[in-house]
Structures are given as structure tokens and as C-alpha cells.
Amino acid sequence: MKFNYIYSMAMNKTFFDNLITGIRHEYTAHPGQDFDPAVLQALMSERPKKANISQKKADSLEQLCSNVRQCDSCPLAKTRHNVVFGEGNVHAELMFIGEGPGNEEDMQGRPFVGEAGQLLTKMIQAMQFTREEVYIANIVKCRPPNNRVPSPDEIAACINYLKAQIQFIAPQVIVLLGATAVNALLGCNEGITRLRGKWLEFEGIKVMPTFHPAYLLRQKSAKRQVWEDLQQVMKVFDRVYRS
Ligand code: URA
């Protein structure tokens, strides 16, 4: 009897903690908007289930991360300062994938923390997400010297780590940043100008290709096209929130 009471109190605490976190998240993600009753319903029914799954995911991702940290499958291992595994919410619904770490990322061991990374953070915020809510990764986990494009062999050595990451996180949408990311993940060979803005698919997950933020730093006029692409992604989440 006593056990049942304590158990039910603990379950309620988790339930309400999750509910409060979810409601805070909604208010932060959509400031000034009325709270949609359908969202509340979804939070009340789904959050506790998700918490269990996410715990398992974190354990498995940690294991994967420690494997990647020891990887020496390609020559990039010799010149790296740090492996840049990826970071963010392990149960993110939105994932961004770039090409590979640059100098700043290599020094810090974190993805997208240099100038292009700061622009990516702004893009994420413009989409009404925070950097902590999404997951950010790269095609290759070690810096190619002088920021050159990773070679096909380097991509082949690394791509399964990314595919495993995607499986663990299971996002609803992936945004692929630049041609290298699209061609490496989807196994095609197309220019990003042709690919961007059109929905593609990877193992049942919706994929939106767009220009890489590093390109936007050089070509400011392309920001408008990127914003159009990102708005298509935002619509997916609006539909989920309001249905
Ligand atoms: N460019 C990338 O593609 N990835 C990073 O992490 C940083 C810059």
C-alpha cells in the first residue's frame, strides 16, 4: 500500500515535471501565441513515455560517442585536436547536418561554434527553436586540414557513425547544410542550387537541403532562399502542433 502510494507520487512528479517543461518550451518557442489545447493534450499523453525512451537513447549515443572518440579509420584522425561528435537534444525533432568541423570546432570539440556556427544559431532561433532543442552534427567528425572538402574515402569511413546517430535521435526533419552533406547522406551527386528547397527523404525522415551557412557569409543574397527553405521546415512543426 505504502509502496503504491510512493510509486504513484513519483510517477506524478515525473509527469508534472515533464508537463511543466513542455509548457515552458511551448511558451519559449512560440512567444505571444495562444496555447493550443491540442498541444497540451499531446504533452499530457506523450511526455512520460518519451522520457523512458530518451534515457535509453542517451546511453546508446554516449557509447557511440566514445567509439568515435577512439576512431582512427581515416587519416583525419592523425591531424585532429578533437573529435567533433555532435551535440544537442538526444530526442530532438529537428536535426542539422553540416560537412565537417573547421578550426574552431576542432579546437573546442563542438560543432558549428565558429563564424558559420554563429549564423546557424541565428537561423535556428529565427525558426523559433533554440540550439539546445535541436541536434547538430556533421558528415565527418574530424577536421579536414585547411577546411578542404572531405574526400570520398574519409566520408565512407565516417558516414555510418552519422547514420547511427540519426537512428538514435530519430528526428522528424533533417536540414542538410550544403552539397557535401546532401550528397554524402543521400548518395547522390547534385549541386546544392538544384537540390535546395525541395523535400527529400532519408529512411522515412523528411530532409530539407539548403545552402551551408559558410556560403551565406560569402553570398549574403542567398539568405532569402535559405529563409524560404527553413520556413518550409517550420510549417511541418506547425502542422504537428495544431493538428
Ligand atoms: N562547418 C561545418 O560544416 N560544420 C561545422 O561544424 C562547422 C563549420
Side-chain angles (χ1 to χ4, degrees):
M1 182 72 174
K2 193 171 174 209
F3 171 80
N4 279 348
Y5 175 72
I6 292 168
Y7 179 71
S8 112
M9 290 293 284
M11 289 302 288
N12 278 339
K13 184 168 180 335
T14 312
F15 175 83
F16 285 113
D17 283 348
N18 287 336
L19 189 57
I20 290 162
T21 307
I23 290 168
R24 281 204 188 119
H25 163 274
E26 284 302 308
Y27 278 124
T28 313
H30 308 282
Q33 283 182 27
D34 285 341
F35 203 92
D36 187 332
V39 176
L40 186 60
Q41 190 62 42
L43 288 173
M44 288 173 72
S45 55
E46 280 177 25
R47 285 286 152 144
K49 263 190 263 144
K50 255 191 154 178
N52 276 340
I53 296 163
S54 70
Q55 188 56 47
K56 270 201 208 125
K57 277 182 189 174
D59 293 341
S60 309
L61 263 184
E62 255 166 40
Q63 186 56 53
L64 180 68
C65 179
S66 87
N67 294 348
V68 179
R69 289 222 166 98
Q70 288 155 37
C71 179
D72 59 0
S73 305
C74 88
L76 299 184
K78 293 198 181 72
T79 50
R80 74 180 176 223
H81 288 95
N82 285 292
V83 165
V84 180
F85 179 68
E87 68 180 22
N89 182 350
V90 293
H91 42 96
E93 294 186 333
L94 178 57
M95 183 167 180
F96 291 82
I97 299 174
E99 178 177 301
N103 179 51
E104 202 55 44
E105 290 78 18
D106 178 48
M107 297 313 289
Q108 292 190 36
R110 296 180 55 209
F112 281 97
V113 287
E115 211 184 341
Q118 284 160 27
L119 182 55
L120 177 63
T121 304
K122 285 188 186 156
M123 287 157 54
I124 292 167
Q125 287 167 348
M127 296 171 78
Q128 301 183 36
F129 283 83
T130 65
R131 218 183 128 106
E132 294 71 31
E133 282 174 302
V134 304
Y135 197 92
I136 305 174
N138 279 305
I139 296 292
V140 294
K141 311 300 188 202
C142 301
R143 182 193 182 199
N146 303 317
N147 299 343
R148 64 163 170 74
V149 176
S151 72
D153 283 351
E154 290 158 359
I155 292 173
C158 215
I159 196 73
N160 281 343
Y161 292 138
L162 176 67
K163 289 183 177 171
Q165 256 172 320
I166 295 171
Q167 264 189 358
F168 287 132
I169 294 157
Q172 200 174 334
V173 177
I174 297 174
V175 177
L176 290 177
L177 303 164
T180 305
V182 188
N183 290 325
L185 188 67
L186 304 184
C188 51
N189 191 15
E190 288 276 355
I192 189 68
T193 311
R194 279 172 64 95
L195 291 168
R196 65 147 279 274
K198 298 188 194 96
W199 284 111
L200 299 170
E201 203 189 283
F202 173 74
E203 294 182 358
I205 300 168
K206 287 167 82 76
V207 168
M208 175 55 70
T210 196
F211 292 125
H212 192 287
Y215 175 73
L216 295 185
L217 292 172
R218 302 190 298 272
Q219 195 66 44
K220 297 209 170 20
S221 61
K223 281 186 184 170
R224 192 181 47 78
Q225 288 159 299
V226 170
W227 182 231
E228 282 168 14
D229 304 343
L230 299 182
Q231 279 178 296
Q232 290 200 63
V233 175
M234 286 168 70
K235 270 193 204 145
V236 172
F237 292 99
D238 264 343
R239 261 209 313 266
V240 169
Y241 287 144
R242 290 183 205 301
S243 64

